[in-house]
Structures are given as structure tokens and as C-alpha cells.
Amino acid sequence: MNTKPLYFLTLLLYLNGFCQKIDQSKKELNTKETNTQNSSQTNTHQTNRSNHNSSDNLFVDLFLYLSYYAIVGNYELENHLDNELTTYPYADERTGNYGGESQKTTFRLDVENSFLTEKLGSNYSSYGNHFKIKGRVKQYIYGQFDQISLFENYQGKTASLPIYQFNLGYDRLRFKHFNFGFLIGATHVGSTVNKTGVNFGLHVDAFIVKNYSLDTSIHWSNINNQTVRTFDIKGKYHRKNMFFALGYEHLQIASPTYNYLTTGLGFYF
């Protein structure tokens, strides 16, 4: 029996399914999951809640009090929170984003663009672009916008999927060589999906050796009961008010996952 035609068909189906991840992500994000809770369970839970209102309120007050200092910090006891924003990393010796004594500013615009590549096989390719702009106001807060555009070529066709992230960010730790912060906002998936979900993120910058830094961030979102998560890590080489970046970006959009090598260029204004 000649098994070559069967082998070829199996390989074709495998590659076809493997490479059409964007279409699969769109399909899953457009599928509404049903809620399987029954009404009797809901009523029971409501009754139990009413019996614990007083203790719950005390717990909530304590939680909010502790959360404020965990997220915002204590400006009277934590000296690093007074470190001011620098004009750009390494403008003042080995100082990163915060703590510059002579090179400091009250506003900074960080602009970055990265090209994403994922080689899947002959005649199949996945690639994208990640544009990011961050407006920092002193050392307290910043706004960030990300546009991630994904493309997939297969069988002479091209599928695309745009993702938009709108966030407010706050760096909880602001040391001269290290900063760590939170982001909160919204994620919108465009194309035929056109749905939006709440977004939460974490971000870290580490300035280890002069002119070099490590940058990593992760964003979580839930859209139509499906996970939308982005993670990227990159090394940066800084040269005055510009930098070159090389790294890795991982995305999960519903069940499909995407893995890209990234190359980028950015500027500080």
C-alpha cells in the first residue's frame, strides 16, 4: 500500500490547522460561553452573604487600607519614591528611569516600535508589529498605549488581528537601577471580534550595566470569557535618547498561542 498520499494529506491538514491560529482565535473570542450555575445555588449563596455582612465590611476596610500602602507606598518612609524622572536612561551615569540629579524632567515621552517574526514552515509564516507609546508625568503616573498587529500567511491567504491596549501605569518601586510597577486599563481586539475587556499588567525595568537594560512586562485580560494575555522580555542598548531592543514576545489569544522573536527601536522625547 502506498502511504505517501496519506502522509502528505496528514501533513497538509496539520500545517493548515497549526498555521491558522488567528482564525481560531477570532472564532473562540466570538463564541459566548454559557453560565451553568443554577438558581438554587445562587439563592443559597445570597443568603449566606447576608449573614456575614458585618464581618465582610471589616475585612474589606482592612484590605483597602493594606492595599493602599502595598500599591501606592508610604512617601514618608520610602525614600526611593522621591526619586525624580530622568530625561532618558543613562543620561546621568548609571541612573535608569529615576533618580537623576542633574538630568531630570517633569514629562517624558517614550516611543518604541518592534517587528515580530515567527517562522512556521515553507509557505507559512506568522509575523507582526508592536507599537508602544508611554507618556510619563513626573515620577507618579504614566499613560501607555500599545498596538499589536498580527499577520499570518497560509495557502496564499493573509489573516490579520489587531490588539489595542490602553493603560494607566504607576511605578511602585523607583530605584536608580530598578523600577517595578502596575498597569490597569482595557484591551480591545479588533477585526471581526470588536470586543473589549479589562486589562491588568505588571512591568519591570532593570539597569544592570551601563547602556544596557532588561525590560519585561505582562498583561492579562478576559474577553468574552476567553484569556487574552501578552508577555514580552527584551534587552535594550541605550545610546543617548534612543535605544535598540532584541527580545521575545509571547501571546495567548483564546486557546492559540503565538511566540515571536522581536527587534525594535525606540526614542525618548
Side-chain angles (χ1 to χ4, degrees), residues 38-56:
N38 59 52
S39 59
S40 61
Q41 289 177 322
T42 303
N43 291 334
T44 301
H45 292 161
Q46 289 175 344
T47 302
N48 290 336
R49 289 195 199 99
S50 64
N51 294 332
H52 297 283
N53 276 342
S54 58
S55 60
D56 286 350

Side-chain angles (χ1 to χ4, degrees), residues 9 14 45 76 117 133 135 191 196 205 246:
L9 179 61
Y14 170 77
H45 292 161
E76 295 181 357
T117 57
I133 184 168
S191 189
T196 304
D205 282 306
L246 180 66

